[in-house]
Amino acid sequence: MSYFGEVDLGPSFRPFDALHESFGFVPNLFRAQTLLPRVIEAEAGLAAAILWKEQALSRSQKELIALVVAAAYGSTYCFTQHYQTLGSLGLPDHQLDQIARDRHQAGVSGPDTVLLDFALKLAISAPWLSREDVTVLRDHGFANECILEAILVTGLTNFFCTLATGLGASPDFEPRAIPGSHNVPSPDKRLYVGGTAGPYLDAVELSPESFPPFAFFLERFGLVPKIFRAQTLRPDVIEAEADVVRKMLMPEDILSHVQKECIFLVGSAANLNTYCVAAHCEMLRRMGVSMEESDQIAADHHQAELSEADKRLLDFALKLTARPSEFDGEDIELLRRQGLSEEQIIEAVAATGLNNFFNTLQMGLGITPDFETRHVFGPRDAHLSPTADRPTEGTQVDPDAELVARVQDGDLDAFEDLVARHSRRVYRTLMGILGNVEEAQDAMQDTFLKAFQHIGAFQQRSKFSTWLVTIANNTGVQRLRERRHVESLDEAPAEADAEFRPRQVRAWAEDPEQLCSQAERRDLVECELMKLPAKYRVVLVLRDIEQLSGAEAAAALGLGMPAMKARLFRARLMLREALAPHFASQAKRMGQ
């Protein structure tokens, strides 16, 4: 049912009664968190206030928002859940499939189509949302209350999609295949706003003296953050959010408050959220973490003075935020091997989801920061975006695009074609990393399984081959790290790199190909290639054997272009030095 065991909370657990009333059963998403009942209480209260209560938007409108956002996220669990709910509200399957694929062709009313466009832009390209997007909604008759609810539902769906992925919750109904195209245009970087150009909505004044949630925030934070002041059209939602903060962020019994603030910080940086980065840096400062250290955690937590377990915890949260399509049970196992308990991992998942909720709200509301911003995110940071694949050079036509679309529409034979087309490249990539035939074969099976499981979330912002090789690279690296003696693909310290100095880079004979047969030469090169350290071996495989472009190889390895080129240059020198004696000796023999 999930990555975690379930415990019986008894018949008196009130949130389960509310869930029974809304669904007729307790969804697996909540059952997967029974080790932390206070978290279930907070989440159920938030869902009741935002999704289940009919206010400015109807239940059908909110479920449609949730459906298209879950489809764009790639969450089979949430897509299936909202698909089933909309079916019970009277919408036929063929229309729901069309809405998820292309809402503009689904017979949805003009205003509702505009509402779904807004929600998708907020879910997928939040930093590019602007006052003009809100104005379009107003022009189609949506009042501030309706727009606020659309923002809240989008944020809640992002929250629950993150939970479903991180918990591994299995669908409560027969899983529905997510249609392949969601008709979501890529943002124009020239129109970047950054989520702090508002506030976009009107609000009413509520004082801490008369409104208990504001008194709570004032006591805990020393102020009432603007993100809550901007939602006063829905005081019941603010009450639910205050309960979430009280039950999920403040407790110190599982993860510490500092650990959770760090999760929020790295996730907010990945989401390009200037407001939330400034807020969590300030919270950490008040808990004794220097601003310099907070800045380092936001920029690159691997360079911060954190324990190894905390770095792995932040790796986990960052992957769940920025690359959910690559997330699987192995990420859970990595934290278990670091000594984290089931409760700690569940709370890390919940904190990551909650951060995505508040990040979405802030971007939708356009609130300016409460505190001084030490780093303002802009288009140059867009590679951090959770929905953006790593950039490639130029615009390329993906030869696999048609096959990918067919797989996303449920054509299993098309996936077999993709396997046949790319198995050699994946295998050689994994051989380059692992240097072992049996391990490479096993890892290749894992790679294609992961690709099949997550292809519904692949949005073709990069070539399929690049995405697939990235999965292969991650799979191979993970297996490498599980060996008793780890061979790392990470950058070695400068001193270690300094140990290599080419000593035999001399001119070969004019035509080395004449010195030995093709088969002999290939065996010789492959033998010396397998002796190279893994991080150099794999870059040579990708660039010189598989002929990936520089940008594709950099993307697959998670490197910038300068770093990839430097590593490739060193790898070629190392291989050339290793091969030089062989060619030199053969040249000498031929000259005798």
Side-chain angles (χ1 to χ4, degrees):
M1 187 180 71
S2 77
Y3 300 137
F4 306 96
E6 179 185 345
V7 298
D8 187 0
L9 296 178
S12 61
F13 188 58
R14 294 177 60 186
F16 279 6
D17 291 338
L19 291 166
H20 264 295
E21 184 177 343
S22 296
F23 298 106
F25 64 96
V26 178
N28 290 335
L29 184 69
F30 298 99
R31 290 193 179 278
Q33 302 175 79
T34 50
L35 291 172
L36 282 180
R38 59 174 167 79
V39 170
I40 299 174
E41 290 175 352
E43 293 167 356
L46 197 61
I50 295 173
L51 188 60
W52 305 337
K53 184 184 294 186
E54 291 219 11
Q55 294 274 341
L57 297 179
S58 69
R59 179 68 184 273
S60 293
Q61 286 174 310
K62 289 189 279 191
E63 289 289 344
L64 282 173
I65 289 173
L67 181 79
V68 297
V69 171
Y73 184 98
S75 172
T76 299
Y77 179 93
C78 290
F79 181 77
T80 300
Q81 180 69 56
H82 297 296
Y83 195 106
Q84 184 74 17
T85 302
L86 284 163
S88 70
L89 294 173
L91 276 75
D93 288 0
H94 68 86
Q95 185 180 18
L96 294 176
D97 288 333
Q98 187 59 54
I99 289 170
R101 182 180 294 108
D102 186 351
R103 59 211 171 274
H104 298 109
Q105 304 297 324
V108 179
S109 71
D112 280 353
T113 301
V114 171
L115 187 69
L116 297 181
D117 287 345
F118 175 86
L120 271 174
K121 184 172 183 180
L122 176 57
I124 300 300
S125 307
W128 283 264
L129 195 83
S130 69
R131 189 180 297 277
E132 285 68 28
D133 297 295
V134 176
T135 300
V136 170
L137 284 180
R138 290 197 176 105
D139 290 344
H140 281 80
F142 291 102
N144 284 325
E145 291 84 354
C146 296
I147 301 170
L148 176 58
E149 283 195 8
I151 294 168
L152 288 165
V153 172
T154 304
L156 184 70
T157 308
N158 275 341
F159 186 0
F160 284 169
C161 286
T162 305
L163 285 177
T165 300
L167 298 169
S170 57
D172 302 289
F173 308 97
E174 184 68 25
R176 305 294 310 198
I178 300 175
S181 174
H182 315 301
N183 193 23
V184 182
S186 298
D188 185 341
K189 290 188 177 182
R190 295 171 299 178
L191 303 179
Y192 185 92
V193 176
T196 55
Y200 304 140
L201 304 181
D202 297 330
V204 298
E205 279 295 324
L206 294 175
S207 69
E209 291 76 18
S210 60
F211 188 51
F214 279 8
F216 165 71
F217 293 134
L218 187 61
E219 178 186 354
R220 299 300 307 197
F221 304 134
L223 79 162
V224 179
K226 295 176 183 177
I227 193 171
F228 300 109
R229 291 191 180 276
Q231 301 176 67
T232 51
L233 293 174
R234 286 294 305 274
D236 59 324
V237 171
I238 300 174
E239 289 174 350
E241 291 169 353
D243 194 50
V244 166
V245 171
R246 186 182 295 108
K247 291 176 177 174
M248 293 179 62
L249 183 59
M250 295 302 175
E252 299 267 358
D253 55 329
I254 307 297
L255 294 176
S256 71
H257 190 178
V258 168
Q259 285 174 311
K260 285 178 277 192
E261 288 288 350
C262 287
I263 287 174
F264 275 53
L265 180 56
V266 297
S268 297
N271 288 334
L272 308 184
N273 195 301
T274 297
Y275 174 98
C276 290
V277 166
H280 297 300
C281 281
E282 176 63 20
M283 292 302 107
L284 285 168
R285 185 192 67 78
R286 296 182 183 189
M287 288 184 278
V289 179
S290 70
M291 293 301 288
E292 290 72 22
E293 185 69 1
S294 295
D295 287 344
Q296 184 60 69
I297 293 169
D300 182 0
H301 61 273
H302 292 105
Q303 304 302 318
E305 294 187 7
L306 300 171
S307 69
E308 192 63 25
D310 280 348
K311 289 179 182 178
R312 299 289 79 78
L313 180 68
L314 297 184
D315 284 342
F316 174 93
L318 190 56
K319 184 175 184 179
L320 185 55
T321 297
R323 304 190 309 280
S325 64
E326 299 174 20
F327 190 94
D328 59 24
E330 185 55 36
D331 296 293
I332 303 290
E333 291 302 319
L334 286 173
L335 288 192
R336 286 178 176 141
R337 288 196 286 272
Q338 286 290 332
L340 274 74
S341 68
E342 302 290 274
E343 291 86 349
Q344 287 175 315
I345 301 172
I346 292 172
E347 190 162 51
V349 172
T352 304
L354 181 60
N355 182 62
N356 283 341
F357 170 75
F358 282 126
N359 279 195
T360 305
L361 261 59
Q362 188 279 322
M363 289 289 191
L365 297 167
I367 312 152
T368 56
D370 297 291
F371 307 101
E372 178 184 356
T373 55
R374 293 165 64 90
H375 180 78
V376 177
F377 293 98
R380 67 183 183 280
D381 303 303
H383 66 283
L384 296 172
S385 174
T387 56
D389 289 305
R390 296 180 181 97
T392 58
E393 291 176 339
T395 301
Q396 299 175 312
V397 177
D398 188 352
D400 298 312
E402 182 180 350
L403 285 174
V404 170
R406 285 168 51 193
V407 176
Q408 291 175 328
D409 283 334
D411 185 347
L412 298 183
D413 291 338
F415 189 76
E416 292 295 330
D417 292 341
L418 287 172
V419 172
R421 183 178 290 186
H422 295 288
S423 58
R424 177 180 176 275
R425 171 172 288 179
V426 169
Y427 174 73
R428 294 188 71 90
T429 299
L430 289 164
M431 272 296 293
I433 297 171
L434 297 167
N436 178 281
V437 172
E438 290 184 0
E439 275 196 283
Q441 290 173 341
D442 288 345
M444 183 170 69
Q445 297 299 320
D446 289 346
T447 296
F448 282 114
L449 177 60
K450 290 175 182 177
F452 181 73
Q453 290 172 333
H454 299 296
I455 198 168
F458 176 61
Q459 297 179 16
Q460 302 190 33
R461 289 190 173 90
S462 67
K463 291 172 65 176
F464 173 78
S465 58
T466 303
W467 180 71
L468 185 62
V469 170
T470 301
I471 295 175
N473 182 67
N474 292 339
T475 301
V477 170
Q478 187 52 53
R479 283 178 174 259
L480 212 58
R481 287 171 176 158
E482 290 171 0
R483 292 177 179 175
R484 181 169 299 180
H485 300 294
V486 176
E487 186 179 7
S488 177
L489 284 178
D490 299 331
E491 287 289 353
E495 308 82 53
D497 274 349
E499 292 176 3
F500 173 72
R501 292 288 184 273
R503 293 177 293 276
Q504 300 192 51
V505 180
R506 58 192 176 211
W508 293 346
E510 287 186 3
D511 189 357
E513 293 187 5
Q514 298 176 358
L515 301 181
C516 52
S517 71
Q518 184 176 4
E520 182 182 357
R521 185 175 68 253
R522 183 182 63 245
D523 291 343
L524 178 61
V525 171
E526 288 188 354
C527 178
E528 295 301 332
L529 177 65
M530 288 301 112
K531 294 177 183 178
L532 296 182
K535 71 175 184 177
Y536 298 116
R537 191 166 65 226
V538 70
V539 73
L540 276 175
V541 168
L542 295 181
R543 284 289 285 122
D544 294 346
I545 297 178
E546 293 306 320
Q547 297 293 301
L548 267 67
S549 70
E552 288 173 330
L557 294 170
L559 299 173
M561 283 293 290
M564 188 282 298
K565 289 179 179 178
R567 188 175 293 187
L568 178 63
F569 177 72
R570 185 178 293 274
R572 286 170 173 167
L573 282 179
M574 295 173 77
L575 182 61
R576 186 179 178 90
E577 181 182 31
L579 292 172
H582 299 282
F583 287 120
S585 60
Q586 291 208 27
K588 183 177 181 181
R589 287 197 303 270
M590 291 183 68
Q592 291 176 344

